[in-house]
Amino acid sequence: MSKRSFILAMVFSSLFGGIVAVVGFTLISPQERIIQQTSGGANPVSLTNYVFDSADFIVPEGLNFVFAAKNATPSVVHIRTSYSDGSRANSPFNEFFKDYFGERYDRRGGPSRGAGSGVVISPDGYIVTNNHVIENADDIEIVLNDNRSYQAKVIGVDADTDLAVLKIDEENLVAAKYGDSDDINIGEWVLAIGNPYEFRSTVTAGIISAKGRNINILDGDYRIESFIQTDAAVNPGNSGGALVNLNGELVGINTAIASPSGAFAGYSFAVPVSLVKKVVSDLVEYGAVQRALLGISIRDVNAQVAEQFDLDILKGVYVGGVMQGGAASKAGLEDGDVIVAIDDRPVNSVAQLQEQIAIKRPGDEVTVKFIRDGREKSVIAELRNEAGTIDVVELASDYRIEGATFVDVSDDIKSKLDIDGGVQIAELGPGKWREVRMKEGFIITGIDNEKIRNIRDLENYFKRPRTDGILIEGVYPDGSKAHYGLGL
């Protein structure tokens, strides 16, 4: 090879090597690589080393807490409650606060105050929160994210799901957007927004740890526990606040924490928004929840149940009994069936089945998929209410117990006697009320130092188990006060 040819070869080799090095660096350098994330043919939306403003555009996939926080925080409110007679201490949720919020939140007797969170769900002032946040409160104050303050009235409560709807007189509020709790996945990122320890508008992040979780904190024959479990930090004051996805959409209402000390210990629980929407709609429209029932007794399928009943399946919900004349009976379900899906949504636990039924109303039809004798079958069931009908259940206007019928006190009587509520005996038949010489017209204003303002308070009081006598206080229409001891 001539000297000239050798020089040309060296130049070409060097040039080629440089090109390879540049191209190779471009292909493998993680700091400069361009990420082509597009949606429907859109331009690239991000670079790996570029901090973007999510207010300008939404990343279809990826981790972005800023956008969700900006969109959801304005809808979350601070709720302040006051209890003039210590009625909070007598709440059935007192043990709930002890178990989940620690002993230092157990307040007994005397004037007290409470705090929690809520979520604006409509521009005209409807707010959803937990029932235990406002239960027995004499005064409910709502503080918006922009510090405006309002007095709230209770539209309706549902102890079976621990939800309540409040209303303030305001328009053009920033309302939360509903997401889809059925379609969220375990491992998906979520944000918890609320007011822990009076720290306003606090945002914490975590993932969905589990779905359909039953933690046995609610009472009642028709309680629904199908909580979303997360590891987003939730503390006292977060109850009633928002659990949102990365689009800032509401997927749950934060309700409880599992904690031996009262502080966050790694797990929190939220009512799924699918159930929230149903309960809120019922309370606003009817004043009472329209509870749909299949009419069956059920239990989770596990290895022990499968062995006991000789099942060849280790998932689903075992039907232990079918109520005659109920929805399941009319549809053809039988004892020993194993339900595996409702409306094509898998149900692997009692909690999951209850949630899918609870989002329906009496008269709605559901497709029930089940296993019988090793074969998969399906039927269509028309759901019924507790009375076995599809009629609308109205908010109770009276309450009957032990021979007495009670009604809410009229506004005229409240004004005349200067009382803020109570229940009045409208009819008095044979029974323990008459035995203690109580007379028709008597107005109960309190039981065992717990204020009774309306029929709902009275009904909730007597739902709780009683093991001894009760002390009743009240007033007659002529203004004379009276106290009675009653054994029930």
Side-chain angles (χ1 to χ4, degrees), residues 291-293 325 361-363 382-393:
R291 195 85 63 201
L293 303 173
R361 286 177 174 170
E382 182 184 48
L383 301 176
R384 304 272 168 163
N385 58 28
E386 184 181 358
T389 73
I390 61 173
D391 298 334
V392 171
V393 176

Side-chain angles (χ1 to χ4, degrees), residues 25-35 47-49:
F25 181 79
T26 301
L27 290 174
I28 67 175
S29 173
Q31 296 301 317
E32 299 297 330
R33 183 172 53 196
I34 297 177
I35 305 298
L47 302 175
T48 55
N49 61 343

Side-chain angles (χ1 to χ4, degrees), residues 292-321:
L293 303 173
L294 260 177
I296 52 178
S297 59
I298 50 180
R299 59 194 296 188
D300 292 340
V301 171
N302 53 34
Q304 290 74 27
V305 171
E307 181 179 2
Q308 179 182 354
F309 296 103
D310 194 25
L311 305 177
D312 56 1
I313 186 173
L314 288 174
K315 64 178 182 179
V317 178
Y318 180 79
V319 178

Side-chain angles (χ1 to χ4, degrees), residues 347-403:
V347 290
N348 292 318
S349 67
V350 168
Q352 290 178 336
L353 186 148
Q354 287 178 325
E355 180 185 350
Q356 292 305 314
I357 298 301
I359 63 177
K360 305 292 186 179
R361 286 177 174 170
D364 289 347
E365 292 184 343
V366 294
T367 300
V368 182
K369 188 179 294 184
F370 61 98
I371 306 296
R372 180 186 296 169
D373 298 328
R375 294 185 178 183
E376 186 174 278
K377 300 182 178 183
S378 66
V379 295
I380 296 177
E382 182 184 48
L383 301 176
R384 304 272 168 163
N385 58 28
E386 184 181 358
T389 73
I390 61 173
D391 298 334
V392 171
V393 176
E394 300 289 350
L395 186 63
S397 59
D398 59 20
Y399 181 69
R400 296 176 177 85
I401 183 171
E402 296 282 351

Side-chain angles (χ1 to χ4, degrees), residues 53-350:
D53 183 356
S54 60
D56 295 333
F57 42 76
I58 304 175
V59 182
E61 297 178 2
L63 195 59
N64 175 20
F65 298 149
V66 177
F67 179 83
K70 282 184 177 180
N71 277 268
T73 299
S75 302
V76 179
V77 303
H78 189 195
I79 298 178
R80 294 171 177 163
T81 53
S82 62
Y83 310 82
S84 63
D85 58 358
S87 59
R88 181 174 184 173
N90 298 308
S91 166
F93 268 92
N94 189 51
E95 292 302 315
F96 166 88
F97 280 104
K98 286 177 59 178
D99 292 342
Y100 288 90
F101 289 168
E103 287 291 343
R104 65 181 182 275
Y105 294 95
D106 182 17
R107 301 172 177 175
R108 295 190 180 275
S112 60
R113 294 185 63 84
S117 304
V119 183
V120 178
I121 52 173
S122 70
D124 57 346
Y126 284 95
I127 295 166
V128 64
T129 186
N130 286 132
N131 178 50
H132 76 258
V133 169
I134 55 92
E135 187 176 27
N136 294 328
D138 296 304
D139 182 76
I140 303 172
E141 179 188 9
I142 302 295
V143 183
L144 300 182
N145 182 252
D146 60 9
N147 291 322
R148 287 180 290 169
S149 176
Y150 302 84
Q151 293 300 305
K153 63 179 180 180
V154 178
I155 298 300
V157 301
D158 181 41
D160 290 330
T161 55
D162 193 22
L163 292 172
V165 178
L166 310 177
K167 178 73 166 62
I168 61 174
D169 292 328
E170 189 54 272
E171 301 287 340
N172 302 317
L173 299 178
V174 180
K177 294 181 179 178
Y178 285 131
D180 190 340
S181 54
D182 287 333
D183 288 339
I184 58 174
N185 299 305
I186 294 174
E188 184 175 330
W189 282 97
V190 286
L191 302 183
I193 307 175
N195 306 280
Y197 299 118
E198 298 282 339
F199 294 127
R200 298 274 305 282
S201 302
T202 296
V203 180
T204 56
I207 63 169
I208 302 294
S209 304
K211 297 172 64 178
R213 187 70 82 196
N214 185 333
I215 56 176
N216 295 313
I217 61 170
L218 301 180
D219 295 321
D221 294 335
Y222 299 108
R223 63 187 182 275
I224 305 296
E225 290 194 29
S226 185
F227 292 110
I228 299 170
Q229 179 182 326
T230 80
D231 63 354
V234 169
N235 280 292
N238 272 111
S239 282
L243 187 73
V244 303
N245 61 23
L246 291 190
N247 287 328
E249 297 167 333
L250 187 69
V251 295
I253 295 297
N254 297 314
T255 298
I257 54 177
S259 171
S261 65
F264 179 68
Y267 300 108
S268 56
F269 303 90
V271 180
V273 77
S274 59
L275 189 55
V276 173
K277 288 193 294 185
K278 162 62 165 54
V279 171
V280 167
S281 176
D282 283 354
L283 293 178
V284 172
E285 187 172 351
Y286 303 107
V289 174
Q290 305 303 304
R291 195 85 63 201
L293 303 173
L294 260 177
I296 52 178
S297 59
I298 50 180
R299 59 194 296 188
D300 292 340
V301 171
N302 53 34
Q304 290 74 27
V305 171
E307 181 179 2
Q308 179 182 354
F309 296 103
D310 194 25
L311 305 177
D312 56 1
I313 186 173
L314 288 174
K315 64 178 182 179
V317 178
Y318 180 79
V319 178
V322 178
M323 184 181 72
Q324 292 302 312
S329 174
K330 290 179 178 295
L333 287 171
E334 300 175 359
D335 295 3
D337 290 341
V338 177
I339 298 175
V340 294
I342 299 292
D343 286 342
D344 293 326
R345 291 193 177 276
V347 290
N348 292 318
S349 67
V350 168

